[in-house]
Amino acid sequence: MMDDDEVFAAFLLLTTAAMLYLKRKKRVRRYKVRPINRNRIVHGQFHKRVRRMREMDHEQYFKYTRMTPAVFDNLLSIVGPHLQRHKKKSHISPAERLTLTLHYLAEGCSMQEIATNFYMGKTTVHIIIKQTCSVLWDVLSPIHLKPPTGTEFVKISKGFYQRWNMPNCLGALDGKHIQIQAPAHSGSDFFNYKKTSSIVLMAACDAFYRFTLVDVGGYGSQHDSIVFSESAFGQAILKNQNDVLDLPDAKQLPGTSVSLPFFFVADQAFPLHKRIMRPYPGERLGENKEIFNYRLSRARRTIENTFGILSARWRIFRRPIVANVTTCEAIVKACVVLHNFLQVKEEDIPMGSRKYCPTGFGDEVDINGGLRPGQWRNESNMLRPVGRLGSNFSTRIVRQNRELLTAYFASAQGKVSWQYDHIAEGSLPS
């Protein structure tokens, strides 16, 4: 005979076993395909509306997919073979998978809305979006987002000097919080200082608003200095790891015999470092330091524009992304590499004919050094900046490098005629 304690223990054991069995038991689906979705080829948006839009209204097609039909066809030829699934009667083609995903990223609508419009199940849509985003990154990133070589870094620096009057500049650095739905059972891992859940996108860009280095997925709750220092390219920059990033050697400033290391420009959130130039802190710094801050901030606007164009074109960033963390990361990476893909596709097109980033969409510079704010600034932007990414402590040599660049901007070889007017007007770029 068992006593009461033994009976109760046996009861708990049986109850736990039963619950585990029920939990592991595979859910029986009522339908293989829901009745309302069985006419997808007749009523689904891809078959009924998108094909007509593609033939009759290229402007609406661009709004729908963020690319022209010709560019879509080119992209499909690259990624289509990787999106091909088993052919059968109800087969969802690579073209439909890609269109569905691009529209989701472009409009930022819910997966349920996509499922309703495309006559598919929500689970099917989620799987398609996750798979397609992963394919976009896997296929396009080795082409359009591979780490620059030493020669390519030198080319990037020439772009910054010619377009933004900043010599020896390898790129502009910044980080943004990407708001996501609070993941289940994640505790406070993703809970950031804005009291929302997020992952961090850390990036560098070139002089033409294209990403050159990215790191996606840092916990929103982490101190931003940890996010940067633990990213692969952050470590390479801070520790001068040339086996990771092929950073070029020091070079003489134009028109002088003064040698200065190549560097990235950044705001006050980043540390002053051999490879990172940040502005002088404080106010009433004196003319030369204010000119330095003006010139640095002017070049640093490139990363601000890159993020701004990204979020304006891919409206998935306008609201919290509702998906698991792995899918969220895949979505962010897909948008980043699509941004570069489309920027490169428009390189040889006159500015007046470009679609993705036409004249006036990004910040522009006039002949007097004036900056005309880009149209993207009129769009809603939910990308939140990161906080401090490093301490204010720096070595004497690093401070001397900044002083050398400050003196160069005030010299006959390095000054530009309009910098004093902008300082007098107090028109420092943000």
Side-chain angles (χ1 to χ4, degrees), residues 129-407:
I129 290 173
K130 182 178 180 180
Q131 290 177 343
T132 305
C133 284
S134 297
V135 166
L136 286 168
W137 173 259
D138 292 340
V139 175
L140 295 181
S141 61
I143 306 170
H144 297 286
L145 200 53
K146 61 181 179 180
T149 63
T151 302
E152 289 167 341
F153 268 128
V154 171
K155 184 178 179 181
I156 290 171
S157 73
K158 290 179 180 178
F160 270 97
Y161 182 61
Q162 293 167 0
R163 193 176 189 195
W164 300 101
N165 308 103
M166 179 61 67
N168 291 28
C169 180
L170 300 177
L173 289 172
D174 204 358
K176 296 292 183 182
H177 285 277
I178 309 295
Q179 193 171 343
I180 64 173
Q181 182 186 48
H185 313 299
S186 63
S188 59
D189 287 346
F190 298 91
F191 197 64
N192 61 45
Y193 70 102
K194 289 287 188 180
K195 312 302 181 185
T196 60
S197 294
S198 65
I199 55 177
V200 178
L201 168 60
M202 195 69 61
C205 74
D206 66 11
F208 300 93
Y209 310 146
R210 294 173 297 201
F211 292 103
T212 54
L213 301 167
V214 297
D215 182 84
V216 181
Y219 289 151
S221 64
Q222 283 184 317
H223 193 281
D224 297 313
S225 62
I226 297 175
V227 175
F228 178 63
S229 63
E230 289 189 352
S231 66
F233 76 85
Q235 289 184 11
I237 292 170
L238 294 175
K239 298 179 181 180
N240 204 29
Q241 297 174 334
N242 286 342
D243 57 328
V244 179
L245 287 181
D246 186 15
L247 302 178
D249 296 327
K251 181 183 177 183
Q252 291 180 347
L253 293 173
T256 75
S257 59
V258 177
S259 184
L260 195 70
F262 283 90
F263 55 82
F264 293 85
V265 294
D267 62 15
Q268 64 275 10
F270 288 76
L272 181 62
H273 183 269
K274 176 184 176 182
R275 295 292 190 177
I276 301 175
M277 277 292 177
R278 55 167 282 171
Y280 289 100
E283 300 177 356
R284 299 181 182 179
L285 300 169
E287 185 177 71
N288 286 355
K289 288 184 178 180
E290 287 184 358
I291 288 172
F292 173 88
N293 281 1
Y294 167 73
R295 297 277 293 271
L296 185 79
S297 298
R298 191 170 177 273
R300 191 189 58 78
R301 284 170 73 106
T302 52
I303 188 64
E304 181 185 346
N305 273 263
T306 305
F307 279 127
I309 295 167
L310 176 77
S311 63
R313 285 308 190 201
W314 305 105
R315 298 185 179 185
I316 188 67
F317 296 117
R318 287 191 172 190
R319 62 184 69 180
I321 303 176
V322 182
N324 60 52
V325 175
T326 303
T327 303
C328 288
E329 291 178 4
I331 287 170
V332 173
K333 292 194 289 187
C335 290
V336 166
V337 79
L338 282 169
H339 171 90
N340 276 17
F341 170 79
L342 292 169
Q343 289 279 61
V344 169
K345 284 297 171 185
E346 292 189 340
E347 271 184 330
D348 299 326
I349 300 175
M351 286 294 293
S353 301
R354 295 180 182 180
K355 294 290 186 181
Y356 185 77
C357 189
T359 303
F361 198 73
D363 289 356
E364 295 183 342
V365 186
D366 60 32
I367 58 174
N368 297 316
L371 284 164
R372 292 191 293 270
Q375 295 171 8
W376 68 262
R377 296 180 181 275
N378 300 325
E379 302 276 349
S380 174
N381 190 343
M382 280 191 64
L383 298 183
R384 301 295 181 220
V386 296
R388 182 170 296 281
L389 291 162
S391 69
N392 289 325
F393 299 108
S394 54
T395 65
R396 179 176 56 85
I397 293 177
V398 169
R399 293 194 297 272
Q400 285 179 347
N401 287 340
R402 183 164 64 176
E403 290 165 5
L404 286 173
L405 190 58
T406 302

Side-chain angles (χ1 to χ4, degrees), residues 36-37 40 43-46 100 110-122 125:
I36 195 172
N37 294 334
R40 174 176 57 83
H43 301 297
Q45 196 164 98
F46 176 76
L100 178 158
S110 68
M111 291 189 186
Q112 183 59 63
E113 183 179 346
I114 293 287
T116 300
N117 291 337
F118 280 76
Y119 280 62
M120 298 180 189
K122 184 181 176 182
V125 167

Side-chain angles (χ1 to χ4, degrees), residues 1-18:
M1 292 283 295
M2 292 190 296
D3 58 25
D4 292 342
D5 290 340
E6 291 174 330
V7 171
F8 183 68
F11 172 75
L12 283 179
L13 183 62
L14 290 171
T15 303
T16 303

